[in-house]
Amino acid sequence: MKKIWFALFSLALVLALGACSGNSGQSGAKKPAKSATKTALMNFYMNLTNHINAQDRDLNTYEQAIAKTDEKPPKTELATMQKEAQSSAENV
């Protein structure tokens, strides 16, 4: 009789563990979505500087013109560059 109870208890234990292991398949489905989200965020942050630099190109040009020590552009050209740089900085 003890052998029958032990066999039934073992069978119930196997079924219970088998039922619990079914949840791991559902959590496996979430991993690709999580990975895709991480990839999208990483791509966004890696390309962020490229997007900003595309918008503030006029500001960078103006800052480089001011930093020149040997040949500075004329004041009228600097004034125009300054206005463009200001609008570009506001856009960013």
Side-chain angles (χ1 to χ4, degrees), residues 4-53:
I4 294 174
W5 281 108
F6 181 73
L8 288 176
F9 179 72
S10 298
L11 182 63
L13 185 62
V14 167
L15 291 175
L17 289 175
C20 292
S21 68
N23 291 340
S24 67
Q26 292 176 353
S27 66
K30 292 180 183 179
K31 288 183 180 180
K34 198 173 195 180
S35 176
T37 304
K38 285 183 180 180
T39 303
L41 281 174
M42 184 61 93
N43 287 338
F44 171 75
Y45 284 119
M46 294 300 285
N47 292 326
L48 188 60
T49 55
N50 293 336
H51 291 294
I52 291 174
N53 285 339

Side-chain angles (χ1 to χ4, degrees), residues 29-84:
K30 292 180 183 179
K31 288 183 180 180
K34 198 173 195 180
S35 176
T37 304
K38 285 183 180 180
T39 303
L41 281 174
M42 184 61 93
N43 287 338
F44 171 75
Y45 284 119
M46 294 300 285
N47 292 326
L48 188 60
T49 55
N50 293 336
H51 291 294
I52 291 174
N53 285 339
Q55 295 295 320
D56 71 349
R57 185 168 290 137
D58 293 330
L59 177 62
N60 292 338
T61 306
Y62 176 69
E63 288 175 348
Q64 288 174 358
I66 289 176
K68 287 183 180 178
T69 55
D70 51 351
E71 295 179 24
K72 286 193 176 184
K75 289 185 178 185
T76 56
E77 188 177 333
L78 276 176
T80 336
M81 290 172 81
Q82 183 180 12
K83 289 178 185 177
E84 292 172 355

